[in-house]
Structures are given as structure tokens and as C-alpha cells.
Amino acid sequence: MNMHKPLKVKLHLICYFQGKPFDHVQAMQERKALHTLLAKRQEDLPPRKMKDSYLEVILPLGSQPEIREKYLNVHNSVRFGRILEDLDSLGVLICYTHTKQEMQPRSPLSIVTALVDKINLCQKIIHPDCDIKFTGNVSWVGKTSMEVKMHMLQLHDGDYSPVLDATFVMVARDPENKRPAFVNPLIPESPEEEEIFKQGELNKLKRIDFNTASLLKMAPTAEERNIVHDIFLNTLDTRTVSFQSRKLPPNAVWMEDAKLKGLQICHPEERNIFNRIFGGFLMRKAFELGWAIACSYGGSRPFIVSVDDIMFQKPVEVGSLLLLSGQVCYTENNYIQIRVHTEVYNANTRENHTTNVFHFTFVSENEVPQVVPKTYGESMLYLDGKRHFTAVMKEI
Ligand SMILES: CCCCCCCCCC(=O)SCCNC(=O)CCNC(=O)[C@H](O)C(C)(C)COP(=O)(O)OP(=O)(O)OC[C@H]1O[C@@H](n2cnc3c(N)ncnc32)[C@H](O)[C@@H]1OP(=O)(O)O
């Protein structure tokens, strides 16, 4: 891999240049003129190699103590929500590097996060006083979408050791973020790169299969139906001959009692260069709600194990009222699977629409109570959580 000089930048400070605050509204007006720079066909764009988009970025937590406070949590380790923000910005930066045209002073593309496919952690603790290195490159390309693989490592005794691996999917849009826009093709250069590229193709097909089999579209499998019925039988009150009397088994919690909600007013401070709310900010807020649920549910300190299948379905406008609803949906031994659903509320139309769904897997220090669904809808949520949990456990 081509080793670029590490960029010692705080990623989202890119919104500022020459010391002046970025005028988002004016910038969006100016971007309209960039339409003429868009390619009409993907074949008109020069192919790129994986090393062309490879970047290394240092987050100097060890060497610049003044930036630590922003990253610090109360357990004297790094706030994972802040890492999510940095990964989001780095993913976009990698895609801009892949699509960069030397002749163009500015990119006509608006690159947005469409999906966090997965983030798997191999360290429980991220230290707040050791430098962090992020690396990554575009690993697969479709017509307008790009898969980005990123890695995070932390410096200990002179060596960087792995902390997490992440796979994101970014989508290129026109300068006004209205329609899809073509991106440069990617040519694998070695058998190893061909394997990575093929995996990107398989990931796309797997996502389609997962969505097709979604419990929002299809009935559960026979095995899953048995699980739900066993839970139902296990919660029937045997003293009454009734389908209605339900009793909580020992060391269990009804699903309806394992949720928390939050509200976020989306201030301009949290907007990205396209005048919409940062994907990383949304992830941080959802993660922190998920963490709070895991903490209160498990009664001890939870550690994040995996983030998967975060879909960015709709952009969040500046000024939106963002409603976050988090729920424990599956548990096993020390593990807690959490789903956070976010929607924006439009006060004028009094309508809500979903913007994101997040899935987080936490491990608690102690064994946690079993979460038990009561209604059919909760049972589907339970099975969906189990599917996510099983997929995560296969990977780690
Ligand atoms: C300089 C660096 C630092 C600055 C960084 C600034 C930017 C930071 C990044 C952000 O903060 S972005 C904000 C968070 N993300 C969003 O607000 C995105 C919200 N979602 C959307 O706007 C739309 O859902 C989206 C554009 C992602 C997709 O729209 P459509 O569903 O209409 O897409 P379409 O059907 O036209 O498909 C376009 C491509 O996207 C792909 N796609 C769509 N949804 C996907 C998904 N969920 N997963 C994977 N791929 C997806 C789809 O397969 C296709 O790929 P190909 O062209 O390659 O075949």
C-alpha cells in the first residue's frame, strides 16, 4: 500500500478554511455551477486503484493532550461516539480521494453516508492518552456507490495494535445532493485485491438478501416461530387456563420495560458541508442512547462489541426535531442487542418519518436478565435482534 504522510488534522475542522466560518447556504448556491463537471457515463471517468484512495490519519491523543477532553468518558477511556464521528468523516474523505480529478478545482460530487455495514471491535478499552491511527481505502465500487474499509489502531510501547475494523457504504450525488452521480471505477491490482473486491460484491448481495428476508416483509422461519411460541408458553401463568395471563419468568424483564427515548434539536452547529446534519453526529447520539440503555439494563458497565447495518434512509434537515427510541431487543449471557430508531418530526405537517435505524451489540461485565417479548410486534423485534446478534457473533 502507498503510505501517505499522516494528516494531523481534526477531521471535522475541514468545515473551516482560511480561519473563516464556512457559509453553508452560500456554498450550496455556488455548488449549482458544478453540475457541468459531472460525468455523463461511468466509463468517462478514469479507473482508480485501491492505493489511490488509501489514507492514514493520526488522532494525536498521546502527543497533544489538549484534545483529550473532547474524547474522554467518565471511565477514563475514549468516547466511542467520537470515534464514530471521525470514521464517518474519514470515509467521506477517502471517497473524495478516490473520485478526485486533478483538473477540477472542486469536486462536483456530494458524498453521503448510506450505510455503516459493520464495525467490529477487538479491544474493550480505547486509551485516552495514546495516539490513534486510522487507515482506509475504497474497497469496492458500484455505479454511484463506494464501499470503504477502515481500520483503527492505537499506539502502545512504540507499536500500533488493532482496535477496530469498519466497513461503510458511501453514495455520490450531484452538487445539490438531489440525484445519484457516477464515480470512478475501481480496478483491483492483485489476487488479494480481487478477493477484497469480490467480497464487496458479495456484501452487496448479502444486504439485498437480508433486506428481502426482513421480518417487516416476510414471516419468520419455522425455527423462529418455534422460538416465539416457546417464549409464549414459558410466560403463561399455569394457574389459569388463559391465553391472556402472562407471567414474567425469573431473572427476566419485559421488553416494554427495556426502552429509553431521547430528543435532539438539530442545530446548525451539527451540519455537514451539504447543509444537512452530520451522519457521525447522528451515530454518536444514537450510540450514547444505546449505551445508556445497556448500562441501566445490565446494571454494570457495558462495552461496545459491534455496530452493524446502520441505514441512513433520509437526510436530516437542520432545525429538525429528532426523536430517538432505543430498545433492548435481544439478550444472551452477558450480551445485550440494542436497536435505536430515529425519526424527525415536522411540526408544520405533524408528520414523523424514519431517518435511521441503528444496531449495537454490547457486552456487560455481568450476566444480564433475559429480555422477554409480550406482543407479536415485540416478538418480531426480538427475532430481528437475534438475527443481528447471530450475524455479529459469526464475524468476531
Ligand atoms: C471532506 C470530508 C469531511 C466532510 C464530510 C462531510 C459529509 C459527511 C457525510 C454525512 O454526514 S452524510 C449525512 C448522513 N447521510 C445521509 O443523510 C444520507 C441519507 N440517505 C439518503 O440521502 C439516501 O437514502 C441515499 C442517497 C443514501 C440513497 O438514496 P436512494 O435510495 O434514492 O438511492 P438510489 O436508489 O438512487 O441508489 C444509489 C446508489 O446507492 C446505493 N444504496 C442506496 N442505499 C443503500 C444502502 N442502504 N446501502 C448500500 N447501498 C445503498 C444503491 O445500491 C445505488 O448504488 P449503485 O449506483 O452503485 O448501484
Coordinates of all heavy atoms in Angstrom, one line a residue, residues 32-72:
K32 N -24.2 24.8 -7.4 CA -25.1 24.5 -8.5 C -24.3 24.6 -9.8 O -24.5 23.8 -10.8 CB -26.2 25.6 -8.6 CG -27.3 25.3 -7.6 CD -28.4 26.3 -7.8 CE -29.5 26.1 -6.7 NZ -30.4 27.1 -6.7
A33 N -23.3 25.5 -9.9 CA -22.5 25.7 -11.1 C -21.6 24.5 -11.4 O -21.1 24.3 -12.5 CB -21.6 26.9 -10.9
L34 N -21.4 23.6 -10.4 CA -20.6 22.4 -10.6 C -21.2 21.3 -11.4 O -20.6 20.3 -11.8 CB -20.1 21.9 -9.2 CG -19.3 22.9 -8.3 CD1 -19.1 22.2 -7.0 CD2 -18.0 23.2 -9.0
H35 N -22.5 21.5 -11.7 CA -23.3 20.4 -12.4 C -22.5 20.1 -13.7 O -22.5 18.9 -14.2 CB -24.7 20.9 -12.8 CG -25.7 20.5 -11.7 ND1 -26.2 19.2 -11.7 CD2 -26.2 21.1 -10.7 CE1 -27.0 19.1 -10.7 NE2 -27.0 20.2 -10.0
T36 N -22.0 21.1 -14.4 CA -21.3 20.8 -15.7 C -20.1 19.9 -15.6 O -19.7 19.3 -16.6 CB -20.9 22.2 -16.3 OG1 -20.0 22.8 -15.4 CG2 -22.0 23.0 -16.7
L37 N -19.6 19.7 -14.4 CA -18.4 18.9 -14.2 C -18.7 17.4 -14.0 O -17.8 16.6 -14.0 CB -17.6 19.4 -13.0 CG -17.1 20.8 -13.0 CD1 -16.3 21.1 -11.7 CD2 -16.1 21.0 -14.2
L38 N -20.0 17.1 -13.9 CA -20.4 15.7 -13.7 C -20.2 14.9 -14.9 O -20.5 15.3 -16.0 CB -21.9 15.6 -13.3 CG -22.3 16.1 -11.9 CD1 -23.8 16.1 -11.7 CD2 -21.6 15.3 -10.8
A39 N -19.8 13.6 -14.7 CA -19.6 12.7 -15.8 C -21.0 12.2 -16.3 O -21.9 12.0 -15.4 CB -18.8 11.5 -15.4
K40 N -21.2 12.1 -17.6 CA -22.5 11.6 -18.2 C -22.6 10.1 -18.0 O -23.7 9.5 -17.9 CB -22.6 12.0 -19.6 CG -22.5 13.5 -19.9 CD -23.9 14.1 -20.2 CE -23.9 15.6 -20.4 NZ -23.1 16.4 -19.6
R41 N -21.4 9.4 -18.1 CA -21.4 7.9 -18.0 C -20.2 7.6 -17.1 O -19.2 8.3 -17.1 CB -21.1 7.3 -19.4 CG -22.1 7.7 -20.5 CD -21.7 7.2 -21.8 NE -20.3 7.3 -22.1 CZ -19.6 6.4 -22.9 NH1 -20.2 5.4 -23.5 NH2 -18.3 6.6 -23.0
Q42 N -20.3 6.4 -16.5 CA -19.2 6.0 -15.6 C -17.9 5.7 -16.4 O -16.8 6.0 -15.9 CB -19.6 4.7 -14.8 CG -18.6 4.4 -13.7 CD -19.0 3.2 -12.8 OE1 -19.7 2.3 -13.4 NE2 -18.6 3.2 -11.6
E43 N -18.1 5.2 -17.6 CA -17.0 4.9 -18.4 C -16.1 6.1 -18.8 O -15.0 6.0 -19.2 CB -17.4 4.2 -19.8 CG -18.2 2.9 -19.6 CD -19.7 3.2 -19.2 OE1 -20.4 3.9 -20.0 OE2 -20.2 2.8 -18.1
D44 N -16.7 7.3 -18.7 CA -15.9 8.5 -19.0 C -15.0 8.9 -17.9 O -14.2 9.8 -18.0 CB -16.9 9.7 -19.2 CG -17.8 9.5 -20.5 OD1 -17.4 8.6 -21.3 OD2 -18.8 10.1 -20.6
L45 N -15.1 8.2 -16.7 CA -14.2 8.5 -15.6 C -13.0 7.6 -15.6 O -13.2 6.4 -15.8 CB -15.0 8.4 -14.3 CG -16.1 9.5 -14.1 CD1 -17.1 9.0 -13.0 CD2 -15.5 10.8 -13.8
P46 N -11.8 8.1 -15.3 CA -10.6 7.2 -15.2 C -10.7 6.2 -14.1 O -11.1 6.6 -13.0 CB -9.5 8.2 -15.0 CG -10.1 9.5 -14.6 CD -11.5 9.5 -15.0
P47 N -10.4 5.0 -14.4 CA -10.4 4.0 -13.3 C -9.3 4.3 -12.2 O -8.3 4.9 -12.5 CB -10.0 2.6 -14.0 CG -10.0 2.9 -15.4 CD -9.9 4.4 -15.6
R48 N -9.6 3.9 -11.0 CA -8.7 4.1 -9.9 C -8.3 2.7 -9.3 O -8.9 1.7 -9.5 CB -9.4 4.8 -8.8 CG -9.9 6.2 -9.2 CD -8.8 7.2 -9.2 NE -9.3 8.5 -9.4 CZ -9.0 9.3 -10.5 NH1 -8.2 8.8 -11.4 NH2 -9.5 10.5 -10.6
K49 N -7.1 2.8 -8.6 CA -6.7 1.6 -7.8 C -7.0 1.8 -6.4 O -7.2 2.9 -5.9 CB -5.2 1.4 -8.1 CG -4.9 1.2 -9.5 CD -3.4 1.3 -9.8 CE -3.2 1.1 -11.3 NZ -2.0 1.8 -11.8
M50 N -6.9 0.7 -5.6 CA -7.2 0.8 -4.2 C -6.2 1.7 -3.5 O -6.6 2.5 -2.6 CB -7.2 -0.6 -3.5 CG -8.4 -1.4 -3.9 SD -8.6 -2.9 -2.9 CE -9.8 -3.7 -3.9
K51 N -5.0 1.7 -3.9 CA -3.9 2.5 -3.2 C -4.2 4.0 -3.5 O -3.7 4.8 -2.8 CB -2.5 2.1 -3.6 CG -2.2 2.3 -5.1 CD -0.7 1.9 -5.3 CE -0.4 2.1 -6.8 NZ 0.7 1.3 -7.2
D52 N -4.9 4.3 -4.6 CA -5.1 5.8 -4.9 C -5.9 6.5 -3.8 O -5.8 7.7 -3.6 CB -5.9 5.9 -6.3 CG -5.0 5.5 -7.4 OD1 -3.8 5.5 -7.3 OD2 -5.6 5.0 -8.5
S53 N -6.8 5.7 -3.2 CA -7.7 6.3 -2.1 C -7.1 6.0 -0.7 O -7.8 6.4 0.3 CB -9.1 5.8 -2.3 OG -9.2 4.4 -2.1
Y54 N -6.0 5.3 -0.6 CA -5.5 4.9 0.7 C -5.1 6.2 1.5 O -4.3 7.0 1.0 CB -4.4 4.0 0.6 CG -3.8 3.5 1.9 CD1 -4.4 2.6 2.7 CD2 -2.6 4.1 2.4 CE1 -3.9 2.2 3.9 CE2 -2.1 3.7 3.7 CZ -2.8 2.7 4.4 OH -2.3 2.4 5.6
L55 N -5.6 6.3 2.7 CA -5.2 7.4 3.6 C -4.9 6.9 5.0 O -5.4 5.9 5.5 CB -6.4 8.4 3.8 CG -6.8 9.3 2.6 CD1 -8.0 10.2 3.1 CD2 -5.7 10.1 2.1
E56 N -4.0 7.6 5.6 CA -3.7 7.4 7.0 C -3.9 8.7 7.8 O -3.4 9.7 7.3 CB -2.2 7.0 7.2 CG -1.9 5.6 7.0 CD -0.4 5.3 7.4 OE1 0.2 6.0 8.1 OE2 0.1 4.3 6.9
V57 N -4.6 8.7 8.9 CA -4.8 9.9 9.7 C -4.5 9.6 11.1 O -4.9 8.6 11.6 CB -6.3 10.4 9.5 CG1 -6.5 11.6 10.4 CG2 -6.6 10.7 8.1
I58 N -3.7 10.5 11.7 CA -3.4 10.3 13.1 C -4.3 11.2 14.0 O -4.5 12.4 13.7 CB -1.9 10.8 13.4 CG1 -0.9 9.9 12.6 CG2 -1.5 10.7 14.9 CD1 -0.8 8.5 13.0
L59 N -4.8 10.6 15.0 CA -5.5 11.4 16.0 C -4.6 11.5 17.2 O -4.4 10.5 17.9 CB -6.8 10.7 16.4 CG -7.7 11.3 17.5 CD1 -8.1 12.7 17.2 CD2 -8.9 10.4 17.8
P60 N -3.9 12.6 17.4 CA -2.8 12.6 18.4 C -3.2 12.8 19.9 O -2.8 13.7 20.5 CB -2.0 13.9 17.9 CG -3.0 14.7 17.2 CD -4.2 13.9 16.8
L61 N -3.9 11.8 20.4 CA -4.4 11.9 21.8 C -3.2 11.8 22.7 O -3.2 12.3 23.8 CB -5.3 10.7 22.1 CG -6.7 10.8 21.4 CD1 -7.5 9.5 21.8 CD2 -7.5 12.0 21.9
G62 N -2.2 11.0 22.3 CA -1.0 10.9 23.2 C -0.1 12.1 23.1 O 0.3 12.6 24.2
S63 N 0.2 12.6 21.9 CA 1.1 13.7 21.8 C 0.5 15.1 21.9 O 1.2 16.0 22.1 CB 1.8 13.5 20.4 OG 0.9 13.2 19.4
Q64 N -0.8 15.2 21.9 CA -1.5 16.5 22.1 C -2.5 16.4 23.1 O -3.7 16.3 22.8 CB -2.1 17.0 20.7 CG -1.0 17.5 19.7 CD -1.7 18.0 18.4 OE1 -2.8 18.4 18.4 NE2 -1.0 17.9 17.4
P65 N -2.1 16.5 24.4 CA -3.1 16.2 25.5 C -4.3 17.2 25.5 O -5.4 16.9 26.0 CB -2.3 16.5 26.8 CG -0.8 16.5 26.3 CD -0.8 16.7 24.9
E66 N -4.1 18.4 24.9 CA -5.2 19.4 24.9 C -6.5 18.9 24.1 O -7.5 19.4 24.3 CB -4.7 20.7 24.3 CG -4.3 20.8 22.9 CD -2.9 20.3 22.6 OE1 -2.2 19.8 23.5 OE2 -2.4 20.5 21.5
I67 N -6.3 17.9 23.3 CA -7.5 17.4 22.5 C -8.2 16.3 23.3 O -9.3 15.8 22.9 CB -7.3 17.0 21.1 CG1 -6.3 15.8 21.0 CG2 -6.7 18.2 20.2 CD1 -6.2 15.2 19.6
R68 N -7.6 15.8 24.4 CA -8.2 14.6 25.0 C -9.6 14.8 25.6 O -10.4 13.9 25.6 CB -7.3 14.2 26.2 CG -6.1 13.3 25.7 CD -5.3 12.9 26.9 NE -3.9 12.7 26.4 CZ -2.9 12.8 27.2 NH1 -3.0 13.0 28.5 NH2 -1.7 12.6 26.7
E69 N -9.8 16.0 26.2 CA -11.1 16.2 26.9 C -12.3 15.9 26.1 O -13.2 15.2 26.6 CB -11.1 17.7 27.3 CG -12.3 18.1 28.2 CD -12.1 17.6 29.7 OE1 -11.1 17.0 30.0 OE2 -13.0 17.9 30.5
K70 N -12.3 16.2 24.8 CA -13.4 16.0 23.9 C -13.7 14.5 23.8 O -14.8 14.1 23.5 CB -13.1 16.7 22.6 CG -14.2 16.6 21.6 CD -13.9 17.5 20.4 CE -14.9 17.2 19.4 NZ -14.6 17.9 18.2
Y71 N -12.6 13.7 23.9 CA -12.7 12.3 23.7 C -12.9 11.4 24.9 O -13.2 10.2 24.8 CB -11.5 11.8 22.9 CG -11.5 12.2 21.5 CD1 -11.0 13.5 21.1 CD2 -11.9 11.3 20.5 CE1 -11.1 13.8 19.7 CE2 -11.9 11.7 19.1 CZ -11.5 12.9 18.8 OH -11.5 13.3 17.5
L72 N -12.8 12.1 26.1 CA -12.8 11.4 27.3 C -14.2 11.0 27.9 O -15.1 11.9 27.8 CB -12.1 12.3 28.4 CG -11.5 11.6 29.6 CD1 -10.5 10.6 29.3 CD2 -11.0 12.7 30.5

